[in-house]
């Protein structure tokens, strides 16, 4: 995989593009006016590994809450604004680290001037977010619908508006709910610009459907070297987006965070409650950010061998579990109910040993 070289920019203290790692983003689904719950969700996202959080700023009340939210946030925040340039100015004054706004949608030239000037003064980048569902009417007519070419042209128009004003602190996204159109649009755009690209499949769906669509779409793009930040959009708690995002990055060898849990699909040889055990181990390790491999396997015949690269693992036998490290058996645990607690003890001991 050869990553496309893009310009480096910064959102607050987080570097994007250039040689920076591919960044994981999400968006709060709390009411921005509700400072307490928005701040709590930002913390949850940050604890899970989210590096940049976007907040919707639909009105003056939401804008008025931004300063307090920004003060308490451990990660940079981006204000998501549609149409109203006053809200963009207020967000920058509140200390927001970046804007997501399309300059072509905020009205006359003087309003664009004002937003660009303020972004320059605050050192805040602007993300242009082209969405297949809200393309300009003339482009829809010219291209016969929200085609990838129409999306790219829309993005280039917004880019030109910023460049005309000497503003190049830009990131761009081209999202649709169609995986194929999204891939084509990003590939076309990546050939024409060097600005960092924020990638995502929008309105991807509920947990499983959304994760699969995102993994396919983002996986192809990342494999092609395209993408400097990403968001997995799920109709779900946004915290779940972060886990999916890291699994996509991990599967391509691009970034790692937390344990990788290998578990077998179970078969007629399985003699323990393996599905339950794998889920419990995953739950017990949630929030652990150290990188190691854990295997949860159904049988002793194939388990340790199949998972011999795992740092630590458990394989089920008849009413017992066999704990192994790198494929070598180290201990046997009797009784189904003891498997989880005893395995977790071994994992804690393994981590302690490794840290010392
Ligand atoms: Fe079946 Fe054993 Fe393979 Fe699990 S590890 S799928 S129980 S053969």
């Amino acid at each position: 995989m050869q990553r496309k070289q893009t310009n480096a920019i910064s959102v607050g203290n987080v570097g994007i593009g250039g040689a920076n790692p591919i960044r994981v983003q999400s968006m709060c689904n709390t009411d921005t006016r509700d400072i307490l719950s928005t701040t709590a969700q930002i913390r949850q996202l940050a604890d899970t590994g989210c590096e940049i959080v976007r907040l919707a700023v639909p009105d003056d009340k939401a804008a008025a809450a931004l300063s307090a939210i920004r003060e308490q946030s451990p990660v940079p925040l981006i204000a998501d604004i549609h149409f109203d340039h006053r809200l963009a100015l207020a967000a920058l004054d509140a200390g927001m680290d970046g804007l997501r706004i399309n300059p072509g949608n905020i009205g006359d030239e003087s309003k664009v001037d004002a937003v660009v000037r303020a972004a320059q003064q605050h050192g805040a980048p602007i993300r242009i977010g082209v969405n297949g569902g809200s393309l300009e009417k003339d482009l829809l007519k010219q291209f016969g619908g929200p085609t990838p070419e129409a999306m790219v042209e829309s993005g280039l128009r917004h880019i030109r508006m910023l460049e005309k004003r000497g503003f190049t602190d830009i990131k761009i996204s081209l999202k649709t709910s169609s995986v194929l159109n999204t891939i084509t649009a990003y590939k076309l755009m990546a050939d024409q610009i060097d600005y960092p690209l924020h990638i995502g499949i929008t309105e991807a769906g509920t947990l499983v459907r959304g994760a699969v669509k995102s993994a396919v779409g983002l996986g192809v793009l990342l494999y092609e070297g395209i993408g400097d930040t990403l968001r997995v959009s799920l109709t779900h708690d946004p915290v779940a987006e972060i886990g999916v995002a890291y699994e996509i990055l991990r599967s391509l060898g691009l970034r790692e965070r937390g344990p990788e849990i290998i578990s077998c699909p179970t078969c007629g040889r399985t003699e323990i409650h393996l599905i339950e055990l794998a889920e419990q181990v995953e739950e017990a390790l949630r929030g652990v950010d150290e990188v190691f491999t854990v295997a949860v396997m159904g049988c002793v015949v194939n388990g340790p061998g199949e998972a011999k690269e795992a740092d630590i693992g458990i394989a089920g036998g008849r009413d017992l579990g066999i704990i192994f490290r790198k494929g070598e058996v180290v201990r046997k645990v009797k009784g189904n109910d003891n498997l989880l607690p005893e395995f977790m003890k071994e994992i804690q001991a393994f981590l302690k040993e490794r840290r010392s």
Side-chain angles (χ1 to χ4, degrees), residues 78-116:
I78 292 181
D80 187 291
I81 287 149
H82 291 171
F83 312 119
D84 190 342
H85 86 294
R86 291 175 317 110
L87 297 176
L89 300 177
L92 291 169
D93 282 340
M96 295 295 275
D97 303 274
L99 295 176
R100 188 262 184 173
I101 192 166
N102 290 349
N105 300 349
I106 56 179
D108 62 49
E109 298 277 321
S110 65
K111 292 176 179 167
V112 180
D113 288 341
V115 171
V116 168

Side-chain angles (χ1 to χ4, degrees), residues 264-267 269-270 297-299 302-303 306:
C264 81
T266 72
C267 73
R269 287 188 198 89
T270 317
M297 307 296 281
C299 74
N302 294 334
E306 281 176 14

